[in-house]
Amino acid sequence: MKYCKLILFVFLITILVSSCKQHQEARRPISQKSGSFMKKSVERNKKLIAGEEGQIDSLIKSNPKVKYFASTKGYWYTYVIQNTLDTITPKKGDVAFFDYEIKDLKGNVIYSELELRPQTYAVDKQNIMTGLREGIKLMHKNEKVIFLFPSHIAFGYHGDDKKIGTNQPLICTVTLHNFLSEAAFKKEIQLRATTPEKQDTSNIEPVKQTKAVNKLKDTVTN
């Protein structure tokens, strides 16, 4: 009787060990397949970014009179109008007032400034294009800047499901009119609500603080 129980116990142990081995072996190919897919995806993205940066580099070289700056955030920019007196730029929580226009790299207008205006943006608290979010934070009041954005910091693979296509690099011309702290903006809203007939122009800076860098509106794309 004891001998039968021993045989039964050994048999159950053998089945359990065999089952564990099969389970472990079944998991291995999934991990390998996943790693291979990720590696190929990274390689595709590198080629895509390199190709777009090549297009942008050609655009910059096609007009050597326009000086572009390379950002550490992965985009390029040049000043149309530069404010050399102010030192303050928008920070998280500030409310920025700006207009902008979007073109493709050939200079074709995708969205005009008239279509997009006016823009009010709570810095780093609202979901907007990555490049635009970073670009606004380097601008001073009353500046006009042309940005060249690769698709991965623009609208990416999906585009905007309207006029901007898949993996499309963009030219954005941005005019930052003003920006206020969150507290100052709320106070201004309350003031306007109590005195709607009075026009508040306190957030408009005099243009005398700016200087034209490029005389043409958009020399890089014309």
Side-chain angles (χ1 to χ4, degrees), residues 7-71:
I7 292 175
L8 180 61
F9 177 74
V10 172
F11 177 72
L12 290 175
I13 291 297
T14 302
I15 292 176
L16 180 61
V17 171
S18 176
S19 175
C20 289
K21 286 184 178 179
Q22 289 178 359
H23 180 67
Q24 290 174 354
E25 290 174 356
R27 291 172 58 89
R28 197 175 302 135
I30 297 176
S31 176
Q32 290 174 348
K33 184 177 180 181
S34 176
S36 176
F37 174 79
M38 289 299 295
K39 185 177 180 179
K40 289 180 180 179
S41 179
V42 169
E43 290 300 319
R44 282 197 302 268
N45 287 335
K46 285 182 178 179
K47 290 181 180 179
L48 176 66
I49 293 172
E52 292 182 7
E53 289 181 348
Q55 294 177 53
I56 291 174
D57 184 60
S58 296
L59 177 60
I60 292 173
K61 289 179 178 177
S62 69
N63 197 344
K65 292 182 180 179
V66 178
K67 183 179 180 181
Y68 275 90
F69 302 91
S71 166

Side-chain angles (χ1 to χ4, degrees), residues 145-159:
V145 178
I146 297 173
F147 295 96
L148 306 179
F149 296 134
S151 66
H152 68 277
I153 55 173
F155 288 87
Y157 175 77
H158 296 287

